[in-house]
């Protein structure tokens, strides 16, 4: 059964934005950069850069953002997380917030006010299933003691109005939503005063609503009559519009730790000598020594290898001056899915980011990288005359000829995402869309992988 | 679907007797060798005829876990931080 609440919740939670960083100036105490879209960023919010959280101390709408702390000079993008979502009657939301110790950490929030009035259509010829009358509040922290009217607009109402625009545009592009020509927005300074109800008896929930919600919270109310199309997923009526296809990720590739590997060959397009990033999801209980991804020459040692040892991850990159290594400290042999992003910022540093957090960095200032001129391998590799095969599952391996941020290749809930728009050099889904014994390249290139010593049942129904 | 494979270690002197159509590995180039090059591993779903008829005598026959454990020993593994 189609749920308008779940639908709105999914829309809101999808509104995580990744934007480019330009003209970065950075010091240990404060950093500032230009960006053409600030979305719902405001003072006191947090943004993420390579999985690190930065507090916004100032901004100019759709121009620049300054944050507390030093941003690495290699940073190219930042992430604005989606607001928190709440739904229910004011009393219900009050109860939820009352159980959250620092409820203001849930700002900015989107609050879908219930009860929702819906006009249903039963006619087979009507393309609409219903029109849902929605009242949604986009709320931000504000400061009634110190802010003047202009500051309320700058720091609360305008950022939330920005978010309403993003929300509306996302709705318009959704295949389940019919055409709607108009909607109404109302600026709501001091939201709590608006929703609070005078209570006849002290101690009733209504009093608590006022105490919590009206405490320096402002934003924008959206009134919208949302037309929802008929859909085979939630209607017995004939299907007219296909539902939107989510990014299906159900399969992974299993490696046995004995002699199985995927060989990507050595095509010119993956012989990278500039900045390099690769991203992969892994799941394992293996605590031996095994290569997960490598493009390293077994004779000259040139190149890079990403491997596990003792249930922890390591990244080794060989330079003319010798090896540089990152030795991870977080156990990953727990049978859970983990995401790893490794980057080589030539002349600066190598880094390994595990599940969105930096696992380690090593300086490579003054080092010269030499391309290995050997095949790209996944699941195993050779160093000297010794083979090192890894046991576990891999999912969505991608290779880039630039530095990428963790948020470009994984969701905030550590799931794979469609990276078609990120222009990878190579992208093996490791199951979905693949036909044994080939891992298809889902980038615009054709760098396929050949499954060696493997079987069709090495595509398994498991994915992050 | 999960298939149970048998993992077997053979002596390099038996390499000419291997019928690759009966095992998972495709050719000599994809075989995993021990560090001294004297032994190699294969895996299969059904026992190959060259083992069943006694023409090749396995050094060791294992399940997957035993094979992974063996592959971590000094004879098969080493220091990859060279």
């Amino acid at each position: 059964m189609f749920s308008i609440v779940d639908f709105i919740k999914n829309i809101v939670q999808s509104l995580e934005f990744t934007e480019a960083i330009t003209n970065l100036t950075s010091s240990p105490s404060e950093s500032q950069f230009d960006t053409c879209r600030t979305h719902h960023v405001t003072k006191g919010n947090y943004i993420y850069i390579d999985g690190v959280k930065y507090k916004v101390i100032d901004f100019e709408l759709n121009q620049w953002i300054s944050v507390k702390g030093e941003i690495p000079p290699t940073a190219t993008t930042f992430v604005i997380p989606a607001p928190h979502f709440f739904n229910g009657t004011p009393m219900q939301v009050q109860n939820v917030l009352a159980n959250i110790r620092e409820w203001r950490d849930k700002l900015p929030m989107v609050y879908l006010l219930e009860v929702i009035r819906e006009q249903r259509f039963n006619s087979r010829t009507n393309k609409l299933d219903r029109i849902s009358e929605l009242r949604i509040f986009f709320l931000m922290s504000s400061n009634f003691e110190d802010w003047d009217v202009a500051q309320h607009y700058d720091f609360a109402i305008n950022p939330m109005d920005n978010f309403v625009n993003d929300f509306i545009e996302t709705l318009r592009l959704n295949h389940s939503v019919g055409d709607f020509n108009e909607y109404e927005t109302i600026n709501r300074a001091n939201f709590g005063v608006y929703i609070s109800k005078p209570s006849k008896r002290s101690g009733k929930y209504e009093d608590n609503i006022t105490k919590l919600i009206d405490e320096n919270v402002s934003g924008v109310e959206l009134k919208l009559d949302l037309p929802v199309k008929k859909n085979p997923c939630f209607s017995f009526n004939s299907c007219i519009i296909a539902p939107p296809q989510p990014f299906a990720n159900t399969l992974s590739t299993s490696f046995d730790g004995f002699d199985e590997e995927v060989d990507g060959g050595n095509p010119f397009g993956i012989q990278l000598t500039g900045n390099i990033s690769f991203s992969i999801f892994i799941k394992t209980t293996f605590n031996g020594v095994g290569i997960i991804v490598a493009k390293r020459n077994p004779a000259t040692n040139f190149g890079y290898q990403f491997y596990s040892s003792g249930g922890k991850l390591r990244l080794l990159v060989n330079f003319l001056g010798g090896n540089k290594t990152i030795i991870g400290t977080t156990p990953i042999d727990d049978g859970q899915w983990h995401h790893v992003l490794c980057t080589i910022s030539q002349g600066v540093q190598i880094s390994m980011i595990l599940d969105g957090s930096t696992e380690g960095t090593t300086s490579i200032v003054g080092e010269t990288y030499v391309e290995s001129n050997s095949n790209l391998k996944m699941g195993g590799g050779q160093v000297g005359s010794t083979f090192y095969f890894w046991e576990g599952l891999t999912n969505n391996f991608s290779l880039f000829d630039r530095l990428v941020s963790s948020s470009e290749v994984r969701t905030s809930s550590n799931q794979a995402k469609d990276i078609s728009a990120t222009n990878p050099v190579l992208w093996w889904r490791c199951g979905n869309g693949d036909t044994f014994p080939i891992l298809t390249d889902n980038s615009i290139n054709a760098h396929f992988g050949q499954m060696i010593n493997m079987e069709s049942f090495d595509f398994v129904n498991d994915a992050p | 679907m999960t298939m149970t494979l048998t993992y077997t270690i053979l002596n390099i002197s038996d390499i000419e007797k291997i019928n690759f159509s009966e095992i998972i590995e495709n050719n000599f180039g994809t075989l995993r060798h021990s560090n001294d090059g004297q032994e190699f591993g294969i895996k299969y779903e059904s026992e190959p005829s060259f083992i069943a008829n006694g023409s090749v005598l396995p050094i060791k026959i294992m399940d997957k876990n035993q094979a992974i454990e063996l592959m971590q020993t000094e004879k098969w593994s080493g220091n990859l931080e060279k």
Side-chain angles (χ1 to χ4, degrees), chain A residues 151-377:
Chain A
Q151 287 171 314
H152 271 283
Y153 272 86
D154 288 344
F155 303 143
I157 291 173
N158 288 343
M160 284 292 88
D161 198 49
N162 250 8
F163 188 78
V164 170
N165 290 336
D166 290 326
F167 179 80
I168 290 292
E169 283 310 301
T170 306
L171 283 180
R172 286 193 197 282
L173 294 172
N174 192 289
H175 293 180
S176 294
V177 175
D179 291 334
F180 58 97
N181 296 323
E182 58 185 46
Y183 56 93
E184 182 181 352
T185 60
I186 308 166
N187 299 337
R188 293 290 183 193
N190 201 349
F191 169 74
V193 172
Y194 171 73
I195 70 156
S196 68
K197 299 174 185 174
S199 175
K200 292 178 181 175
R201 286 185 295 175
S202 176
K204 295 280 285 183
Y205 283 117
E206 286 83 351
D207 290 334
N208 293 333
I209 294 167
T210 304
K211 288 174 186 171
L212 278 175
I213 303 279
D214 72 351
E215 186 184 339
N216 292 330
V217 174
S218 296
V220 175
E221 177 185 351
L222 169 67
K223 287 185 176 179
L224 168 67
D225 292 343
L226 185 71
V228 180
K229 291 177 180 174
K230 284 188 170 70
N231 185 310
C233 297
F234 56 87
S235 170
F236 289 108
N237 293 314
S238 58
C239 171
I240 298 167
I241 303 296
Q245 295 300 310
F247 178 68
N249 190 38
T250 55
L251 301 174
S252 298
T253 301
S254 173
F255 296 90
D256 69 356
F258 184 72
D259 63 0
E260 292 180 344
E261 64 183 359
V262 172
D263 189 337
N266 186 31
F268 180 75
I270 64 170
Q271 295 176 21
L272 307 176
T273 54
N275 290 336
I276 301 169
S277 303
F278 61 86
S279 159
I280 191 169
F281 291 85
I282 57 172
K283 177 180 177 179
T284 187
T285 56
F286 180 67
N287 64 4
V289 180
I291 291 175
I292 305 170
V293 172
K295 193 174 189 306
R296 191 178 183 210
N297 193 305
T300 65
N301 288 332
F302 289 144
Y304 54 84
Q305 70 187 28
F306 167 61
Y307 60 106
S308 73
S309 177
K312 296 169 184 172
L313 297 172
R314 296 186 180 192
L315 174 66
L316 181 151
V317 184
N318 186 265
F319 297 90
L320 280 180
N323 293 336
K324 292 290 183 181
T325 307
I326 295 172
I327 299 176
T329 56
T330 306
I332 50 87
D333 57 343
D334 54 4
Q336 303 295 314
W337 279 104
H338 295 282
H339 175 258
V340 187
L341 172 66
C342 295
T343 62
I344 305 172
S345 177
Q346 297 294 355
V348 182
Q349 67 175 17
I350 58 175
S351 70
M352 181 162 62
I353 298 166
L354 174 63
D355 297 331
S357 299
T358 300
E359 182 75 349
T361 60
T362 297
S363 171
I364 56 170
V365 173
E367 299 288 351
T368 303
Y369 180 77
V370 179
E371 213 288 315
S372 68
N373 196 29
S374 60
N375 289 8
L376 175 70
K377 297 286 186 75

Side-chain angles (χ1 to χ4, degrees), chain A residues 47-123:
Chain A
I47 61 171
Y48 291 82
I49 298 171
D50 288 339
V52 178
K53 197 174 177 182
Y54 293 88
K55 188 172 187 176
V56 175
I57 53 180
D58 205 356
F59 76 107
E60 187 69 45
L61 198 71
N62 297 329
Q63 292 187 39
W64 54 262
I65 295 172
S66 65
V67 298
K68 190 175 181 181
E70 186 168 20
I71 296 174
T74 52
T76 56
T77 59
F78 71 102
V79 176
I80 308 164
H84 297 274
F85 177 84
F86 295 91
N87 67 284
T89 65
M91 189 179 296
Q92 289 170 328
V93 174
Q94 143 68 19
N95 286 336
V96 171
L97 292 176
N99 288 320
I100 300 172
R101 188 171 179 178
E102 298 293 339
W103 72 271
R104 296 185 69 82
D105 289 346
K106 301 298 179 184
L107 296 167
M109 69 168 70
V110 174
Y111 167 37
L112 173 61
L113 178 67
E114 294 187 77
V115 176
I116 300 165
R117 183 169 176 267
E118 293 191 311
Q119 184 181 4
R120 303 293 188 106
F121 303 106
N122 196 37
S123 166

